[in-house]
Amino acid sequence: MNLIPSHIKGLIFDLDGTLVDTMPLHIEAWCETGNFFGVEITPFMVNAMAGIPTLHSVVKLNELYGYDLDPLAVKIRKDLLLEDIISRNGNYQPIAPVYEIACHYREIIPMTIGTGSSRTQAIIVLRAMDMIDWFRGLVAADDVTHFKPDPETFLKCAAIMNLHPEECLVFEDGALGILAAKNAGMEYIDVRDLIPA
């Protein structure tokens, strides 16, 4: 496996939709949450906000669509629905090509997770996938002031690994995350290019 250039000393993985196929579950939870609150939330709207934490996504929905949703009430409802959806549908599934890369390199070079999910949600996913000990650290929505496309998440990941940004390679599936990697001065791989059509 020669995907990683020799000058790369650390790997940074987004979680949802990059390492683990959680996006369909999140989309279902968002759409059901919209129904509960009497507003339309579509898969397109959810995908456009990929990488933005739930509370901030609600603020954005209010701004873009003229909704008057309470961010905390929406987050609580969406999190409960997500738990229910997971219990009905079974556990998470890995994004196979990215999972294989992480599995191969986990004992070779340091790796971190840089996600827009909450720390609690990210840990639940990583434990469910039995991957919690693969990573040097985790930077979640709780750990940053500025979210993707701001580079703060990925720069904190680099700091955890004691690496310069140019020594890091980011794996991402979302436009905001890819822009965050660029803004951090890091190389990146758009994992959508690794997934067979």
Side-chain angles (χ1 to χ4, degrees):
M1 184 173 293
N2 297 317
L3 187 63
I4 310 304
S6 59
H7 67 279
I8 295 297
K9 308 300 182 193
L11 305 181
I12 302 171
F13 294 87
D14 175 46
L15 187 58
D16 299 303
T18 294
L19 192 56
V20 185
D21 190 17
T22 57
M23 284 308 289
L25 306 180
H26 281 280
I27 287 170
E28 186 177 346
W30 269 112
C31 292
E32 288 189 22
T33 299
N35 290 338
F36 179 82
F37 286 100
V39 299
E40 182 181 38
I41 299 178
T42 66
F44 173 81
M45 292 157 73
V46 177
N47 282 318
M49 296 183 299
I52 302 175
T54 302
L55 291 172
H56 295 271
S57 293
V58 178
V59 172
K60 196 162 188 66
L61 286 170
N62 286 341
E63 290 172 356
L64 291 174
Y65 300 100
Y67 298 159
D68 188 25
L69 298 168
D70 179 319
L72 185 56
V74 170
K75 180 182 182 344
I76 291 168
R77 182 69 185 179
K78 189 244 175 185
D79 289 350
L80 288 171
L81 284 168
L82 184 61
E83 287 178 24
D84 181 59
I85 290 164
I86 291 165
S87 69
R88 283 189 270 126
N89 295 339
N91 258 341
Y92 303 104
Q93 297 298 314
I95 304 287
V98 186
Y99 176 87
E100 289 164 12
I101 292 165
C103 187
H104 176 79
Y105 283 98
R106 65 184 172 143
E107 294 182 0
I108 298 173
I109 59 177
M111 306 190 307
T112 55
I113 294 287
T115 179
S117 288
S118 70
R119 175 170 288 274
T120 300
Q121 184 63 41
I123 288 171
I124 288 169
V125 172
L126 290 169
R127 283 190 176 143
M129 297 295 296
D130 199 24
M131 297 171 65
I132 194 76
D133 60 346
W134 290 19
F135 301 94
R136 182 78 55 92
L138 161 68
V139 178
D142 321 60
D143 304 312
V144 297
T145 304
H146 305 288
F147 308 105
K148 301 173 186 177
D150 189 274
E152 182 180 359
T153 296
F154 293 149
L155 292 174
K156 285 192 169 185
C157 286
I160 288 170
M161 298 184 288
N162 292 314
L163 295 175
H164 298 293
E166 61 271 16
E167 297 175 305
C168 299
L169 178 64
V170 174
F171 291 82
E172 258 288 356
D173 72 306
L176 294 177
I178 288 169
L179 188 53
K182 290 178 180 177
N183 290 338
M186 297 177 181
E187 294 184 43
Y188 67 89
I189 290 177
D190 184 338
V191 303
R192 294 170 294 188
D193 295 335
L194 305 177
I195 301 169

